[in-house]
Structures are given as structure tokens and as C-alpha cells.
Amino acid sequence: PRAQVVQILRAAASGDARARVPAHQQLQELEGRPGFAGLLLEAYADASADPQGRLLAVLMCKNVVDRRWQPRNGQGMADEEKRHLKECILRLVALAVSGALPYLVELTLVLRRICRFDFPKQWDELAHFVLGELRRLRESGSFDEGGLAVVVVLHHVLKEQSSKKLLAARRDFQQIGQVMTEPLGAVWCLFADRLRSLLGGGGGGGGDGSTSPAAPAGAPSAGAVDDRTWRLSRYLDGCFLLLLTQGFTRLHETPNGPQLLVLVKEKVALLLGLLRAHPQLVVQCPFFAKNVKSVLKWWAMLLHAHPLAFARADLASVLATSAEVLQSFSAVPGQAETHEQSQLREALLVSSLKMLTHAANTAAFRRGPQPGHQGAAVEAASSCHAQFGEFVRRFGVGGLCELGCAAALRLPAEEVRDWLSDPEDQLLGPGGATDLRQAGEHFVRALAQEPLEAPLVQHIANRMREELERPLTASDAFDAVARKDAFLSLLSLCQPQLKPHLAFEQLLSFSSPAAALAVQASGQAPCLLLPVRLCLVIRSWCGDIPSQAVPTVLQWMETFLQERCPKAVRLAALGPLRELIGRFSDHEAWAQSQAALIDGCMALLAELKAPEVQWRCLNLVHLFLSEEAESGRYEITERSLQRLLLLWRQPDSGEGLICLALLDVLRALVLMSCRSKQPRLPLSPPLLACALAVISDCYALHRPTGGATAGTGAAAGSGGGSPGSAESAALLAGAAEAACSLGDQGSSSATIFDSGCVLFIGVLRTVDSGQAASLVGFFPQLLEHYSRSPGGSLHDGALDVLVEYCALFVEVAPGAEPLQRFYGPILQLCRGCLEGAQKDRNCELSFALLQILLAYAGTPEALAQVRELMVPLLNFWIANYSPQAPPSTFRYPLHPLLQLFCTWHARHPQDFRQQFKVAASSLAQVALLLVASCRLLRPVVARAAVLDAALALAKDGGGGDSTFWREVLQACGEVIASASRKGASMLLVQTLQALRSSLATKLPVPARSSGQLQCCMLPQELQQGLRGDGTMDEAAVVRWLVARLAAALQRASGSGGSGGGGAAASAAELP
């Protein structure tokens, strides 16, 4: 029943949750029932219901139609129910128009929702209803409340149709225009005449082409101050202009189309004349202001849609009216201007600028008829071209440019003061994002087109000479500052046109006084606007800055970023610096300025509050550091590190982008200490402490929630700490809790957790053994958590962390005694990864861990633990590996597996031979299999170690046959040849390193772990050839291999055979 529905609706709007929640549930259940929307309309039409219930019913009906008319889930209304609803709503709209029902606007919104889906093709009745009401209005001539209601309904229908963007919907609108233009135009003309009579017959002019219509003199008439009149005018003008703009394909080809524009022009002149004569109407009649704004906005859109239709309306006078609006309303408002008047003034300026912009962008206006024009279009284009030329000659290109600058680019003093108080809100200067400034910039760019380009460039040249004659100082008045600021904006906007005529060095000379104001002016001086605008100019010209001018520009940017400069200038410098890095990243001038620029950005970070600006600054620092890391040795100060840590732990640190940017900066700083650099910059203690503090927080704050542990970890992770504290305190402040966080879902590299893990890997690769105490102390908690996680659930980088940790253990204690007690958990992790079906990076890293553990298994117990994994791998390799099959068909990655066997042979030779004897039926065949596998390897060290292991097995297997020795000698020759190509190899390495350095995410090379993995395969005397960057002396390795081969050949033949001697001679030629 209707009464029950109204009762439920009132309960749903109640402030009492006990009544509201059940009511919402009831409404959701009722909404799925057929006929519910019709029941809501009946409740709305029930005169006996209370007003609030009727309002809620019609609002609910709108939402039901929106969700159920064409739902995506298929549970919508039946066609019969839709038909009934459309009949019902038309009947109710007719009653509401007559005044019999309330809430017409809300009811019209229901109608508009149905129009979204069914009008016009599936709802002819609505079109007939509207046409009938327009006919009634035309015949009666009565513009009462009923007439206003009809126009409001039509306005909603047309606005909904105009919001549809599909081409089919636009074609439908054009059909509507053909049907409705004549009756709506007749009603519009009838009301226009009525309006003129109400205004006392004033407001003429426009029919004869004049651009300054006579406005009604004296006090406004009673009709002029009736806001109901202006409400009807606003909606009627909106309907008519919308229909003209979007209801026709080519309005200039329509019989009465150009004449209708003449009538609209007269209405524009009437409204502007009344506004000039009686500006108080803006406050007295809010709908008068809305009417003026709406008409001028659609007037500009009409020119954009149908430019050739303006020939009969005299394009020159139409555009002159817009120019006169700019002249009249561009003056800085006084204190007496109200908020409504200010809004209207800005709207008029924007619409007038758009009108002129559309005209300047129309090729037919500037150049005459175009190739695609035919028939009436050629005549219209010729007329418009002549009229546009007349308009340009009257005002001049320079005069139009100055009008645009005065209206949109010249800033009021109050706006500049507000900007200086909080420059973070507008990095590019005040007013940069307003509709008015954007309209002004579009207008200037429109003027910079042929044939207007040459006079515009000449005007700018004249202005530059004038500005040079009046150099600005910090004590000049604001008008002079605003004038020069607008001119700098011109230099930025017209850069493509000025480039052939203005050398950048000349621009720098002209701009020097403005650049000097950055350090001369006080923090709140309006003249600071000029160095800020200069940054925008440099950013616009960045693509055409000559190489010899880059040092001067960088010196300016370095000055702008100094702490003594005001915050607004320092912020503005970020934009051009970002462009300069992209354009001149390899310029030699960066070497002198980059460190100072980084320090300036770091100092600026301490003063920033807005997350977006903080991110911009951090991103710029990251770019600087990435470039500096290639060849520089930038060392950040402890003060800057403290600022970074404070920013990381600020109370509102929920901005994920800021956290990621900070981690990028720290990774770039750690990269400076990469072991491949010569000379290497050691990782400083303050940087290590800061990085460990961030890593600890990063792990502690990104773990699964739940339980008391989560709360404890969060508190620990967000606790204090400073870069100056001990490394252990920085890391272990939340170590136990942080360990619980490891392994959290973080497969995406965009998460803070993963970025923190990458930073952790970078620290482990660059830290020196003397700084490793805190890291080694954290290892038990880290390993305890990993041991509780299945191998497949380890986060990205987890095994990288363990490999680097194990290598660090070896460096701290050459015998790796502290590592012995962790063999069980580490081997368990390796077992879990190797049992997986995927041959992925975790599998390779598991072999690397096994290799280090096997190499430093110093007790029989430790060796037995490793052997439990090694023996199954050996058996699987002997049984399943075939040299003839592609390596990808083998279950495990071949390279790390062979290195594992080589380590077994190098460090535990007796156990190696014994296990191979047990596993293989023929040691000679296994030795030949190793030699064949050697050809699939690239590193010289690995190939030499594999051949040495094969020689040992051949010795135990009877000395090897001729096939074995032939394969061994050939493989040895390939190793010698590979080592001899050292120059080409190094060139390839350098090329790969250069390619790697261009990537956004960089890590220090794993020199320590890579070196340890190579040492594991070689005897003690060769480990001395390990370099600091993780590479090995390959010549020494080859000489060792040749010596081993010669000894084996001598044993096999009973004398020093020619094969061994030839190999030794080849090895002697190596450096």
C-alpha cells in the first residue's frame, strides 16, 4: 500500500539507526519487485500524504529508474512496466505543469533518467507532449508559472540529450532540432518581445549591427527586478541556444539559421546593455546573472559549432562585442565588488576569450574558403573572412594580445599575496589552474597562427624593447610587476613562434634582472612572481636551449634552490630542473652543479607540507642521484638524512607515493657505494643507520594484522630513532616484530614492503664487514620467520637476502663458523624451494645457498646435512641429463647445479669421489658427461672448475679413453680462447652495465656473493685473484687448468705428452 511505502521511506530517512537500517533493507527488497516504481509515483501523487513522504517517494523513484531501467545484471523492468511508467509520468508532469502537483524539478529528474535510455526513439509521446505545450504557450502568450514549468521540463530533456556522446545520439539530437526549432523559436521570440516591453523599450541596437546598444537609463523597471522573469529567460535562452548549437549539422545551410543568430545577437546586446546600466541587478536578481553567464557561454559554443552561420550577424561586430567586454571588465575590481559580481565578471571574461579563441582558430576566418567548402559555404566563408579581417584591423593583433593579457594573464595583487603565503598550492605561480588564465593562454596561442603570427611576434619584440628601457627593481610598484609577469607569460606561450627570431642567449640577458630578484627581494615581496614565472619560461624553452647556455641556466637553478631564497622560488625551480635532466642529462655542466642541487632539494624537503610537492622534490632528488651514481661520488650529509627520516616518520605518513619516493632516494644513495666503482665510496655510518631504520619500519608496518604481535610491531615500527644512533638500535628497535612481517603478500614491486626489501638487498651488498655487527645480529629472527614459511610463499628477494647474508658471514669470519648453527633452517628452506615444480629464480638462489653451505661445511655433521640434499640431486642429474637435449628440458637450472658439483669437488674431494662412485655405474661416462656439460657454460671460472672435476673422475675411472681426452682438449682450447678475448668481453660487460644503469630501479652489483660463489669452486691459492668488484683473474685460472690438464695427461700417458705441452704453450701466451 502507498501509505506503508511512505512510512518505510520516512523511516529510511530517520536519524535513528534502529529504524533506518531495517527500512533500508525493506526498500532493497521492494525495489526488486515489479511495479515498485509505479507505486512510488502513486505515493507522490497522493494529495493526502504528508509533503516529506511525497518528496521521498519521487526521489526514490528516480533512483529506482536509474538502477532498474537498463541494469547490467539483467534484473530490470519489463517492457510493459516501462510503458506504464512513461504514461504515468507524462500524466503527472502535465499535472505538475498546471500547478496541481508539487516538486516539479524532482519529478523532471525522473523524466530525465528515462530520457537517458528511451528518448527520442522509444518515447514519441514525450516529444508530442512538449510540442503541444509549446503550441499552447505560443497561442496563449501567457508566460506564467505554467509556462515556466514547461520550459524547465524542456530544458532538462535537451540537457540530457546533449550529454550523450555517441554519434547515434547526436544524430537523434539533430532530428529533434528539425522538429522543435520552429515552435521553440516562436516562443523565444515572443518572450524576447515581452521582455523588451517589460524593460521599457530599451536595450535596442544589434539589428543595425551596432556593438554598443542603448541600455535603459535610470532605475530599472519593475519587470527588470522580478527574478521570476529572469528565471524564465535563463531557461528559455538555454533551451534555444542548446538546440541551435547541437541540433543542426550545418546551421548556415538551414533556411532560417543565420537569421536566428541575428536574433540571439540582439539578446546578447540586450543583456550586456542592461548589465552595464544596472550592475546592481546581479545582486538583486540571481537568475539575471545566471542568464547573462549562460547566454555568453553558449554564444561562444555556438560560434565554435557553426562558425559560418555568423556571416549574416556580422562577425566583425560580434567579435567586437567580445573585445569590448574584455575592455570593460578587465579592470582590477574595487573593494565594493560583491562575490556575485566577481563571479559574473570572471565568467564574462572567460566566455569572451573563448569567443575570440574559437574565431582565431577557425581556418576559414583567417584564410578564407577552404578546399572542402561548396555552395553556400564558400560565400559564407568569404564573408566571414572579410569580416574577421575588418575586426583584426580595428583592434590590431597587438591590441588583442594586450586585451587577453589584461583580462587573464595580469594578476591582481590580492591573488599574489595569497599565493606567497602558501606557494605549495600553486607550483607554477598564482592563477595557473583557473578557467580564466587557461582561457587567456588558449587565446594567445590562437593568435599565434598564420597570418596573425608575424604581427604578434612584432608586438612581442616591441614590448621587449619597452621592458628593456624600464628594468624592474625590487622596490617597483605592483602594476609594473604584473605587467612584466604577463609579458614573461607571453614569452613562454609563444615560444614556438619566437624561436626563429629570438636567440636564447638574448632571452637570458633580458631575464637577468628578474633572476636577480630571487635573492634581492624579501620573502613576501610581489616581485618574486618574476623569477617564478622565469622558471616557467625556461621550462618552455628547454627543448631549444643551446649547449653553451646550459651552465648559465644551471647556475640560476642552483641559486634559486639556495636556502636563502624564498620558498616560492625554490619550488618553481623544480619544474625546469626536471626538464633539463631529461634534455641534457649527459652535459658536463652537471658535474659542478649536481651536488649543490641535491643539497638544495634536500633542504627544501624540510619546509614542504603537501604530499604532492614532497613527491616531486623526492623524485627530482632520485633522478639527480641516479645520474650522479654513474660517475659521481655524492655523499649525503647527516643533516639531510635526518630530514629524510623525519619525513618518513611524519604523523601523516600514510602517503604511499612519498614512502616509495623516499625508498628510491635511499636506494640511489646506497648505489653510490657499489663495489664495481673505482675508487669506491664506502657506505657511511649515518646512511647505514638511516637505511636500516627505514627497512625496519618498512617491514614492521607491512605485515598481516591480527593479535597482540601486530600492535606491538606497529608501535615499534613507528617509534623513534635517528640516523645518528647505533646501527643495531636502528634495526633491532622492531626486529622481532619486523621478522613477523617478512613474507607478507608483496609480489608487486610498487609496494612499500617490496621497495624496502630491495633497499635491504642493496645495503647487504654494499656494507663493509666492519659495519656488519647489527645485520648479523638480526639474522636469527629473520631466518626463524622464513623457516615457518613454505618455499613457495617467500616474498620476492627473500633468498637474495639470505645469499647476501651468507656471503657476509664468510667475509666477517673466513671460516664461516657463526653460520654453522643455521645450516638446518637454511637447508630446509632450500629443500622447500627445490621441491617446487618451477625452474625459477628461487631455484637458482637455492643452489647458490647450497653452494656456500657446502663450501664451508666445517664439521662432519654439517657436511652430512648438506649431503642429504646433494645426493638426490646427483642421482637425478646422472639419470636424466642428456647433452643432446636442450637445457630447458632439464628440471633444474644447469649452470648453478654444475657449480654446486664443482664446489663439492673443490672443498670435499674425497666425499665427492666417493658419492659419485656410489651413484654412477661408470665414472668415465660421468666424467665425459661433465665435459659435455661444460660447453653450455659461459664463465671461464665455472668451465675450468667443471673440467677439473671431470679430470678427477676420469682418474678414478681408469684414466679416460681417447674420446674423453679429445673432448677435454677441445673444451680446454675453448676456455683458453674465451679468456683470450678479454677485450671484447670487457666491452660487452661495459655495454650491459650502461644499459642496466638506464633502468629506473637499480641495485649494487652482488660483488661479495658473486665472488664467494666463484671462490667456492677453486683451490685456496686461486682465491687470492678475486678482485673487489667480484671478478676473478681469469688468466690465473686458465694457467691452473692447463697445469692440471698437463699433469693428468702425463699420468695417463706415462710421460709429458704433446697434448699437454701444446695446451701449456697456449696458456703461456695469456697475460
Side-chain angles (χ1 to χ4, degrees):
R2 294 194 299 268
Q4 186 178 358
V5 169
V6 171
Q7 195 173 29
I8 296 174
L9 289 170
R10 289 176 59 85
S14 171
D16 187 355
R18 292 173 296 180
R20 185 177 64 252
V21 173
H24 276 291
Q25 295 173 348
Q26 286 182 285
L27 289 176
Q28 289 177 356
E29 191 271 331
L30 289 172
E31 187 176 325
R33 296 184 182 182
F36 181 57
L39 185 61
L40 289 171
L41 289 179
E42 292 178 10
Y44 156 72
D46 186 2
S48 62
D50 67 283
Q52 184 188 13
R54 299 174 73 181
L55 175 61
L56 292 173
V58 70
L59 292 176
M60 182 67 186
C61 184
K62 173 181 71 70
N63 295 332
V64 171
V65 168
D66 203 25
R67 289 191 290 262
R68 299 286 178 174
W69 200 270
Q70 282 189 354
R72 296 179 179 179
N73 57 10
Q75 299 177 359
M77 298 181 183
D79 292 340
E80 181 62 26
E81 183 179 0
K82 292 179 181 179
R83 185 189 61 78
H84 172 72
L85 272 179
K86 288 190 285 190
E87 292 176 355
C88 180
I89 201 166
L90 280 181
R91 186 169 60 253
L92 295 178
V93 167
L95 292 173
V97 165
S98 66
L101 289 176
Y103 309 123
L104 171 67
V105 174
E106 288 75 13
L107 181 63
T108 306
L109 291 178
V110 182
L111 177 99
R112 185 167 175 170
R113 289 296 186 274
I114 300 176
C115 288
R116 183 72 183 171
F117 305 109
D118 283 15
F119 186 75
K121 290 185 176 179
Q122 301 179 43
W123 203 3
D124 291 339
E125 295 83 1
L126 175 59
H128 294 314
F129 169 77
V130 172
L131 290 173
E133 291 297 322
L134 289 175
R135 190 180 308 110
R136 181 184 64 79
L137 273 178
R138 182 179 181 183
E139 294 171 353
S140 66
S142 174
F143 293 100
D144 52 8
E145 291 295 330
L148 173 62
V150 171
V151 175
V152 169
V153 171
L154 177 58
H155 187 265
H156 279 282
V157 171
L158 295 178
K159 287 288 285 184
E160 185 62 40
Q161 189 66 26
S162 69
S163 67
K164 301 176 183 178
K165 303 304 180 184
L166 296 178
L167 291 177
R170 294 183 180 182
R171 287 193 291 268
D172 292 341
F173 205 150
Q174 292 163 8
Q175 294 177 359
I176 295 172
Q178 296 175 5
V179 174
M180 289 192 176
T181 300
E182 191 277 329
L184 179 60
V187 173
W188 184 84
C189 292
L190 183 63
F191 178 77
D193 293 338
R194 184 71 55 85
L195 183 61
R196 289 192 184 90
S197 65
L198 285 175
L199 298 177
D208 58 354
S210 62
T211 59
S212 299
S221 63
V225 295
D226 187 354
D227 204 35
R228 292 176 298 177
T229 300
W230 294 115
R231 186 183 181 195
L232 177 58
S233 177
R234 182 255 184 275
Y235 281 111
L236 196 54
D237 288 343
C239 291
F240 191 50
L241 284 167
L242 199 157
L243 202 60
L244 290 178
T245 302
Q246 300 188 11
F248 297 90
T249 306
R250 298 179 182 87
L251 189 60
H252 63 275
E253 296 179 355
T254 305
N256 295 325
Q259 183 58 35
L260 292 176
L261 291 191
V262 174
L263 299 177
V264 177
K265 175 187 172 184
E266 294 177 356
K267 180 62 178 286
V268 171
L270 173 67
L271 292 174
L272 290 177
L274 192 61
L275 176 64
R276 291 190 182 98
H278 307 293
Q280 69 273 19
L281 282 177
V282 175
V283 180
Q284 295 174 347
C285 303
F287 268 97
F288 171 73
K290 294 179 181 179
N291 193 193
V292 176
K293 288 193 291 186
S294 174
V295 167
L296 263 72
K297 181 188 78 171
W298 280 101
W299 188 228
M301 295 173 67
L302 187 56
L303 177 68
H304 183 57
H306 305 287
L308 298 184
F310 277 74
R312 186 177 300 181
D314 185 13
L315 179 65
S317 64
V318 169
L319 298 179
T321 299
S322 297
E324 290 170 357
V325 170
L326 296 181
Q327 291 174 334
S328 303
F329 294 94
S330 293
V332 178
Q335 297 295 329
E337 187 180 51
T338 64
H339 177 67
E340 293 82 2
Q341 291 172 329
S342 176
Q343 283 190 321
L344 177 60
R345 183 178 64 84
E346 183 173 337
L348 293 181
L349 293 175
V350 170
S351 296
S352 299
L353 286 168
K354 287 183 176 181
M355 190 82 174
L356 297 174
T357 301
H358 295 327
N361 281 331
T362 303
F365 290 0
R366 290 182 285 106
R367 298 179 176 274
Q370 299 297 294
H373 290 159
Q374 296 178 357
V378 175
E379 181 181 356
S382 300
S383 299
C384 288
H385 175 56
Q387 294 166 5
F388 183 74
E390 177 187 346
F391 164 72
V392 172
R393 286 189 296 273
R394 174 182 173 183
F395 287 90
V397 174
L400 292 173
C401 179
E402 288 303 309
L403 280 178
C405 291
L409 303 185
R410 195 169 297 175
L411 300 169
E414 183 64 30
E415 192 170 340
V416 175
R417 284 194 294 269
D418 293 342
W419 163 70
L420 285 172
S421 64
D422 185 16
E424 290 188 46
D425 190 42
Q426 302 178 71
L427 292 179
L428 301 179
T434 62
D435 292 339
L436 180 57
R437 185 169 186 92
Q438 291 180 3
E441 292 176 352
H442 292 325
F443 174 55
V444 171
R445 291 192 179 100
L447 286 178
Q449 302 178 87
E450 289 293 346
L452 309 178
E453 177 182 346
L456 178 64
V457 171
Q458 184 60 48
H459 168 70
I460 294 176
N462 295 336
R463 280 291 312 276
M464 180 172 281
R465 282 192 291 269
E466 294 175 5
E467 295 297 339
L468 284 172
E469 294 172 359
R470 297 176 293 183
L472 192 69
T473 64
S475 59
D476 283 350
F478 178 77
D479 288 343
V481 174
R483 184 190 69 249
K484 181 153 285 190
D485 171 65
F487 181 67
L488 288 176
S489 298
L490 276 182
L491 295 178
S492 173
L493 293 170
C494 301
Q495 187 271 338
Q497 292 73 33
L498 295 175
K499 179 176 58 175
H501 310 282
L502 178 63
F504 186 77
E505 290 83 353
Q506 294 176 305
L507 180 63
L508 288 181
S509 177
F510 170 79
S511 306
S512 295
L517 293 173
V519 294
Q520 295 173 0
S522 61
Q524 295 297 315
C527 63
L528 289 176
L529 183 60
L530 298 185
V532 170
R533 197 69 69 191
L534 179 58
C535 290
L536 183 62
V537 174
I538 294 175
R539 185 177 180 182
S540 300
W541 284 76
C542 187
D544 297 290
I545 296 177
S547 180
Q548 62 270 21
V550 172
T552 302
V553 176
L554 289 181
Q555 288 174 9
W556 281 8
M557 296 300 105
E558 185 178 337
T559 301
F560 288 176
L561 272 176
Q562 291 177 1
E563 290 191 61
R564 59 174 175 162
C565 286
K567 183 178 179 180
V569 179
R570 298 162 69 190
L571 284 173
L574 300 180
L577 278 173
R578 179 64 180 84
E579 297 295 328
L580 288 167
I581 291 177
R583 177 72 173 80
F584 301 101
S585 60
D586 57 347
H587 198 283
E588 60 185 10
W590 288 106
Q592 299 177 355
S593 301
Q594 197 145 286
L597 292 172
I598 295 173
D599 290 338
C601 291
M602 289 292 189
L604 178 60
L605 270 174
E607 302 181 27
L608 299 180
K609 300 295 186 292
E612 179 186 356
V613 187
Q614 292 172 342
W615 181 86
R616 286 174 180 266
C617 193
L618 286 168
N619 180 253
L620 187 61
V621 171
H622 178 235
L623 291 175
F624 280 138
L625 291 173
S626 298
E627 295 295 334
E628 183 77 6
E630 297 301 318
S631 57
R633 292 172 56 82
Y634 177 77
E635 188 169 5
I636 190 170
T637 63
E638 186 171 356
R639 181 185 177 192
S640 296
L641 288 169
Q642 289 173 347
R643 289 170 177 164
L644 291 179
L645 197 57
L646 287 174
L647 182 59
W648 171 265
R649 288 175 170 171
Q650 61 186 358
D652 55 344
S653 59
E655 293 289 341
L657 284 177
I658 301 300
C659 296
L660 289 172
L662 280 166
L663 288 165
D664 286 341
V665 169
L666 289 174
R667 286 207 309 271
L669 288 169
V670 169
L671 187 61
M672 297 283 180
S673 301
C674 181
R675 296 178 179 272
S676 63
K677 298 182 180 299
Q678 296 298 331
R680 176 175 172 263
L681 180 68
L683 193 66
S684 67
L687 176 57
L688 176 61
C690 180
L692 293 183
V694 170
I695 291 168
S696 179
D697 288 348
C698 199
Y699 281 4
L701 294 176
H702 293 81
R703 66 175 180 278
T705 57
T709 305
T712 306
S718 60
S722 66
S725 59
E727 292 91 332
S728 58
L731 182 64
L732 296 180
E737 295 81 12
C740 298
S741 73
L742 302 179
D744 190 11
Q745 298 299 323
S747 59
S748 171
S749 61
T751 63
I752 296 175
F753 176 76
D754 286 336
S755 295
C757 180
V758 173
L759 175 61
F760 199 8
I761 296 171
V763 169
L764 287 168
R765 289 179 178 178
T766 54
V767 69
D768 293 329
S769 58
Q771 301 172 310
S774 59
L775 290 166
V776 172
F778 175 64
F779 188 70
Q781 291 94 335
L782 182 72
L783 192 58
E784 181 183 356
H785 172 75
Y786 282 165
S787 300
R788 294 197 300 267
S789 302
S793 67
L794 292 175
H795 65 82
D796 290 345
L799 292 184
D800 289 277
V801 170
L802 290 182
V803 169
E804 297 300 333
Y805 253 122
C806 290
L808 184 61
F809 268 109
V810 174
E811 185 173 307
V812 171
E817 291 82 4
L819 189 61
Q820 305 292 322
R821 62 191 182 99
F822 301 118
Y823 268 44
I826 297 176
L827 289 171
Q828 187 62 35
L829 283 175
C830 294
R831 187 189 305 275
C833 292
L834 294 177
E835 287 175 352
Q838 294 183 351
K839 185 167 64 174
D840 55 7
R841 177 166 170 76
N842 275 353
C843 184
E844 296 180 9
L845 292 171
S846 297
F847 283 138
L849 282 171
L850 276 175
Q851 189 177 342
I852 296 177
L853 296 181
L854 179 61
Y856 294 96
T859 64
E861 294 78 8
L863 180 59
Q865 288 180 294
V866 180
R867 190 188 300 122
E868 291 180 4
L869 279 179
M870 293 296 303
V871 171
L873 290 173
L874 174 61
N875 292 331
F876 184 85
W877 178 75
I878 293 175
N880 296 277
Y881 177 69
S882 171
Q884 290 75 30
S888 58
T889 60
F890 190 62
R891 176 178 177 181
Y892 298 112
L894 188 61
H895 184 176
L897 180 61
L898 292 175
Q899 289 193 165
L900 193 55
F901 293 157
C902 294
T903 301
W904 200 356
H905 166 253
R907 296 304 180 93
H908 307 283
Q910 293 182 353
D911 190 68
F912 170 80
R913 291 195 296 270
Q914 179 180 353
Q915 296 302 325
F916 267 73
K917 287 178 182 179
V918 173
S921 59
S922 171
L923 287 180
Q925 289 297 323
V926 175
L928 189 59
L929 194 62
L930 279 175
V931 175
S933 303
C934 178
R935 295 179 178 176
L936 301 176
L937 304 179
R938 286 178 178 267
V940 170
V941 173
R943 293 158 74 180
V946 168
L947 290 175
D948 185 49
L951 291 174
L953 291 178
K955 175 185 175 183
D956 292 347
D961 55 12
S962 59
T963 303
F964 170 78
W965 290 110
R966 185 173 57 253
E967 293 292 330
V968 167
L969 289 173
Q970 183 178 352
C972 184
E974 293 173 353
V975 172
I976 295 172
S978 177
S980 300
R981 293 194 297 267
K982 182 178 180 182
S985 233
M986 289 301 296
L987 181 60
L988 177 61
V989 169
Q990 291 172 1
T991 303
L992 292 175
Q993 287 177 346
L995 178 62
R996 192 183 305 114
S997 69
S998 66
L999 302 177
T1001 302
K1002 290 173 283 190
L1003 274 174
V1005 297
R1008 180 188 287 117
S1009 58
S1010 176
Q1012 287 296 336
L1013 292 175
Q1014 294 179 82
C1015 289
C1016 291
M1017 300 183 288
L1018 299 174
Q1020 185 68 33
E1021 62 271 14
L1022 287 180
Q1023 296 178 18
Q1024 306 302 320
L1026 181 66
R1027 304 185 183 97
D1029 60 356
T1031 61
M1032 184 69 70
D1033 182 2
E1034 294 182 354
V1037 172
V1038 172
R1039 285 192 290 268
W1040 165 77
L1041 173 63
V1042 171
R1044 300 280 290 181
L1045 177 60
L1049 285 171
Q1050 187 174 9
R1051 286 193 303 270
S1053 62
S1055 64
S1058 59
S1066 299
E1069 297 177 0
L1070 295 174

